[in-house]
Amino acid sequence: MFYLKRIFVLGLVVLIPVNIFSETQYVYMKDGRILKGEVLHQSAFKIRFKSAEGKEEEILKASIRRITFKNPDIKDPIKQEKIEKPDPALEAKLKTEEENLKKEQEEKSAKAKETSQEKVTPALSNRHGFEILGGIGRSSYESQVANFHRSVEQYGSILGGNGGFIYNSPDRKDSNAKTINLRYTWKRIVADLGGPHLNSLESVNNLGSIVYPDLSGTTVSQGAFTPGVPYHTISYKQINAQISYTTFSRSGLELRPILGYHKIWQKGKDDSTYEISPKDPANTNTIDWTIKYGVSFSDYLSGPSIGAALEYKWKEKWETRWEFQKQFLHGNSIYTRDQIAYLVGSFFEERAALNNQWKVNSQIISGKIIYHWRDSVFFWTGFQYSKLTYKMEHFGGDLDLNGSPLDAYVNTVLIQSLTQGLAGNSTAKAIFVGAGYSLDFSKKETQ
């Protein structure tokens, strides 16, 4: 008997129409129509319906009576209801609400993106901070001041008739460099104070002659040269104060014009070089001389500058800074050269001294890559390149020219006219690595 019941139940399942389990949906419209198909998706006010023939359309829910999975043929036909046509004003309102909802979603997405960017670039209206950075590195520096005055001295040697020296091109080596900078930021304003100190090593060989009376009282000219020249240090120091204002800021990129004022000191000293002047073997009245050679120069320039700063922040921790500036400088330089010739029981000294005034146009390019390690500590690496183009405004000094005062004056004017075109360029280059510390006052102000 139990098995007979099971067979009866299975038979009923087999005989049930398959369309009872169908996924087909039936939409009963208020105008009496019955639509057969599938509801693809729906919103608060309408559905998207795909008919059995594959046609898709949007139907307002206000015009639908009900939706079912049951075939309407199973039940008695539904009485047709008379409905009013959808109100156009209502349809427009529903459409407007749907568009507003879409617009709100887009605004939320854009705002989330802006919020993410603000983590990288704080709003300028809230920015307020201070930082200090320092760095060390290597530098190369070439001074046109020393080169110019050596060339002037060569003309003086030729015209003075009292001996002198011709200089070879200097040999140079890189040396140590350091820099420090303070920065204060308030909203769109950025103020900087600082500068680098660059050094280079230089060695200059020379070859020339000395003029002196020999043991018989006869004036003779005797060759002299430097057997070996040690390197000496020449330095370039710069301090600048500048202020800039953010005129453009978007997506981490910031552009600021710069107004600044710069002071530059250049100096060098060589007091460790000796020259040898061996006597003429054919003249027993000549003497072997050892000559200590001492040279020093200093150059002071100052003036305003204009330029631009470009900064970019990305991925919250990284930042690049670029600066391009043009300087308009004036100043003066002093150059002295001493020769002290030693002999047992006696010596003689000769000096050349020059004091010139300059007009200088300069360009500076600098760049930094910064990694913000923590909230206040960062590390950086960067470079600086400076090129100073000189033009002489006034020439003066004592070249120890022989002859009458008139001859000396004529020779001075001649030297000045000949050396006008000798003014050249000073260049200073350096690379740095360093660290810094920053304070964000805006966080304290918002607490």
Side-chain angles (χ1 to χ4, degrees):
M1 189 68 180
F2 173 76
Y3 292 105
L4 290 175
K5 288 182 179 180
R6 292 185 61 184
I7 293 171
F8 177 74
V9 171
L10 291 173
L12 288 176
V13 172
V14 171
L15 294 174
I16 290 175
V18 176
N19 61 1
I20 289 180
F21 298 97
S22 172
E23 294 297 328
T24 302
Q25 297 162 307
Y26 298 88
V27 179
Y28 292 76
M29 305 296 294
K30 290 184 178 179
D31 60 4
R33 292 181 297 148
I34 301 176
L35 306 180
K36 180 180 178 181
E38 180 183 358
V39 177
L40 300 177
H41 60 81
Q42 62 177 324
S43 66
F45 310 103
K46 59 185 178 181
I47 66 170
R48 187 158 189 85
F49 183 77
K50 182 178 182 182
S51 67
E53 293 78 18
K55 181 180 178 182
E56 295 185 12
E57 61 178 319
E58 290 185 345
I59 304 174
L60 292 175
K61 286 186 176 181
S63 63
I64 299 174
R65 188 167 180 267
R66 64 190 173 93
I67 300 174
T68 181
F69 289 91
K70 190 174 182 181
N71 192 325
D73 295 334
I74 297 177
K75 282 193 173 183
D76 295 334
I78 300 172
K79 294 182 180 181
Q80 182 175 346
E81 295 182 9
K82 185 178 180 180
I83 60 171
E84 297 180 356
K85 292 183 178 181
D87 186 358
L90 178 60
E91 289 185 2
K93 181 179 179 182
L94 295 176
K95 186 176 181 181
T96 302
E97 291 178 353
E98 186 175 0
E99 291 177 350
N100 290 340
L101 181 62
K102 185 178 179 181
K103 187 176 180 181
E104 287 178 4
Q105 291 175 346
E106 292 176 350
E107 290 177 350
K108 287 181 180 179
S109 177
K111 188 175 181 180
K113 187 176 179 180
E114 291 177 0
T115 303
S116 176
Q117 183 61 45
E118 285 178 358
K119 293 179 180 180
V120 179
T121 307
L124 294 178
S125 58
N126 298 327
R127 188 168 64 176
H128 189 195
F130 174 81
E131 74 172 36
I132 178 171
L133 67 81
I136 57 174
R138 300 292 290 176
S139 60
S140 173
Y141 165 55
E142 177 180 354
S143 171
Q144 85 85 33
V145 176
N147 294 339
F148 173 84
H149 288 110
R150 282 192 284 260
S151 298
V152 171
E153 187 188 347
Q154 290 177 170
Y155 281 111
S157 299
I158 296 171
L159 297 174
N162 196 30
F165 291 83
I166 305 299
Y167 297 89
N168 295 323
S169 297
D171 294 326
R172 295 184 178 88
K173 290 183 178 180
D174 295 348
S175 188
N176 60 296
K178 54 189 175 184
T179 186
I180 188 170
N181 190 76
L182 308 177
R183 168 176 284 202
Y184 175 74
T185 305
W186 182 66
K187 297 184 177 180
R188 291 180 175 268
I189 298 173
V190 178
D192 291 274
L193 176 66
H197 180 186
L198 315 181
N199 294 298
S200 187
L201 299 177
E202 185 177 79
S203 174
V204 184
N205 287 291
N206 57 39
L207 178 67
S209 65
I210 62 172
V211 178
Y212 69 97
D214 63 13
L215 298 178
S216 65
T218 304
T219 300
V220 297
S221 177
Q222 188 169 289
F225 63 94
T226 51
V229 182
Y231 284 91
H232 60 277
T233 300
I234 59 175
S235 67
Y236 172 98
K237 296 180 182 179
Q238 174 184 319
I239 184 170
N240 60 280
Q242 63 188 43
I243 188 168
S244 56
Y245 182 83
T246 303
T247 57
F248 177 86
S249 178
R250 181 178 297 174
S251 302
L253 182 65
E254 187 173 334
L255 178 64
R256 303 190 309 271
I258 299 173
L259 289 176
Y261 191 84
H262 295 248
K263 290 188 176 184
I264 297 174
W265 295 266
Q266 303 173 77
K267 66 178 183 178
K269 186 176 183 180
D270 176 17
D271 57 3
S272 58
T273 300
Y274 285 85
E275 296 164 347
I276 303 298
S277 179
K279 66 181 181 180
D280 184 1
N283 186 351
T284 58
N285 293 320
T286 56
I287 304 170
D288 290 324
W289 293 92
T290 301
I291 305 168
K292 185 177 182 182
Y293 169 63
V295 168
S296 66
F297 76 89
S298 60
D299 186 41
Y300 170 74
L301 304 170
S302 62
S305 68
I306 59 173
L310 182 66
E311 298 183 1
Y312 181 64
K313 301 177 177 66
W314 78 98
K315 293 185 179 179
E316 297 189 13
K317 291 183 175 293
W318 291 95
E319 178 182 357
T320 56
R321 297 178 183 177
W322 295 87
E323 286 190 5
F324 311 87
Q325 293 196 62
K326 184 173 180 62
Q327 302 168 319
F328 307 92
L329 309 174
H330 287 82
N332 67 288
S333 63
I334 299 174
Y335 174 87
T336 60
R337 183 181 188 278
D338 293 308
Q339 289 177 301
I340 303 176
Y342 293 93
L343 183 66
V344 178
S346 65
F347 71 92
F348 73 86
E349 180 178 3
E350 183 180 275
R351 160 172 279 206
L354 299 172
N355 188 339
N356 296 332
Q357 293 181 355
W358 304 99
K359 178 181 179 181
V360 179
N361 290 324
S362 171
Q363 296 82 38
I364 297 179
I365 301 174
S366 64
K368 295 182 180 70
I369 298 177
I370 298 174
Y371 175 72
H372 294 273
W373 181 48
R374 293 182 177 176
D375 289 343
S376 299
V377 179
F378 60 89
F379 299 97
W380 68 279
T381 182
F383 75 96
Q384 176 174 313
Y385 173 79
S386 301
K387 182 179 180 180
L388 294 79
T389 302
Y390 283 72
K391 181 179 179 181
M392 188 167 62
E393 292 187 321
H394 176 73
F395 175 88
D398 177 16
L399 292 172
D400 193 19
L401 300 173
N402 291 335
S404 66
L406 179 60
D407 290 338
Y409 172 77
V410 171
N411 286 335
T412 301
V413 173
L414 181 59
I415 291 173
Q416 181 173 355
S417 63
L418 290 173
T419 57
Q420 280 285 352
L422 295 177
N425 302 321
S426 289
T427 58
K429 298 172 284 187
I431 56 174
F432 299 99
V433 293
Y437 187 82
S438 62
L439 297 172
D440 189 352
F441 301 134
S442 62
K443 292 182 179 180
K444 299 178 181 181
E445 293 170 356
T446 55
Q447 290 178 352

